[in-house]
Amino acid sequence: DQQVKQNSPSLSVQEGRISILNCDYTNSMFDYFLWYKKYPAEGPTFLISISSIKDKNEDGRFTVFLNKSAKHLSLHIVPSQPGDSAVYFCAASAISGNQFYFGTGTSLTVIP
Amino acid sequence: KAGVTQTPRYLIKTRGQQVTLSCSPISGHRSVSWYQQTPGQGLQFLFEYFSETQRNKGNFPGRFSGRQFSNSRSEMNVSTLELGDSALYLCASSPRTSGRDGETQYFGPGTRLLVL
């Protein structure tokens, strides 16, 4: 049972525009969320996180929004750059748990 | 500080064989988690080790096992390989326990296993 879902397998965006990647979760106990970026032949690298006490966290061009009532989070990248082309995974964990649950990933392509 | 290292990077085995993968966490990290990544399935959690003890286990058959040594290095073993075990196996480390106190995991590059 997939507790974290990324329903868009792929996304294409023009360079300079906004990229919005979405993630939904089903477990209301999740209280910590992360986004990872993965290039081919490399392991995922941590991008940004958000705790459930916040609804927004910003780091440079990357902003994560959390809507707890909808059990939905999104990652905004503004402006998008060709180097952002990668697979993005969202992940969630519960303070009472010992593992992260990952989505299936969204492949972002930023077109120059 | 060196990152998470995994060996080997690529491996080809045949059905029925067994395989052992190795992971060296970031120095000072005591938690090591293993994941299987296949197309369309994302990252599936296998197990987590902390101080040589398995603390959590995902929904995988008993053919998948692991262990952690006193220096926090970890190995993962898959016995009686099946075609469906072909995947990228990722190891991740964190200072204490993954998922607690907002900790982040740091991933290695993975071992790509192909079962023929």
Side-chain angles (χ1 to χ4, degrees), chain A residues 2 31-32 34 36 38 41-46 49 87 89 93-105, chain B residues 9-10 35 37 40-45 48 55-57 88 90 97-105 107-109:
Chain A
Q2 196 76 23
D31 59 1
Y32 184 59
L34 309 92
Y36 283 86
K38 185 181 184 301
E42 295 181 14
T45 54
F46 170 73
S49 65
V87 177
F89 292 96
S93 72
I95 196 70
S96 59
N98 283 336
Q99 65 168 292
F100 285 99
Y101 294 84
F102 282 79
T104 51
Chain B
R9 292 293 310 276
Y10 303 93
Y35 294 85
Q37 185 192 359
Q41 291 292 316
L43 276 71
Q44 301 290 312
F45 174 75
E48 185 215 2
R55 293 188 59 129
N56 203 10
K57 190 175 190 305
L88 179 68
L90 292 159
T97 303
S98 302
R100 292 277 177 90
D101 302 323
E103 282 198 353
T104 300
Q105 293 177 310
F107 284 84

Side-chain angles (χ1 to χ4, degrees), chain B residues 64-94:
Chain B
F64 291 82
S65 63
R67 58 178 175 167
Q68 187 180 34
F69 302 95
S70 58
N71 61 359
S72 293
R73 190 177 71 84
S74 177
E75 286 182 348
M76 189 192 93
N77 186 276
V78 188
S79 62
T80 319
L81 284 165
E82 301 176 359
L83 295 178
D85 296 334
S86 294
L88 179 68
Y89 290 88
L90 292 159
C91 161
S93 75
S94 64

Side-chain angles (χ1 to χ4, degrees), chain A residues 23-27 66-73:
Chain A
C23 180
D24 297 294
Y25 61 96
T26 57
N27 189 338
L66 176 62
N67 183 332
K68 290 185 285 295
S69 60
K71 295 192 180 69
H72 176 83
L73 66 155

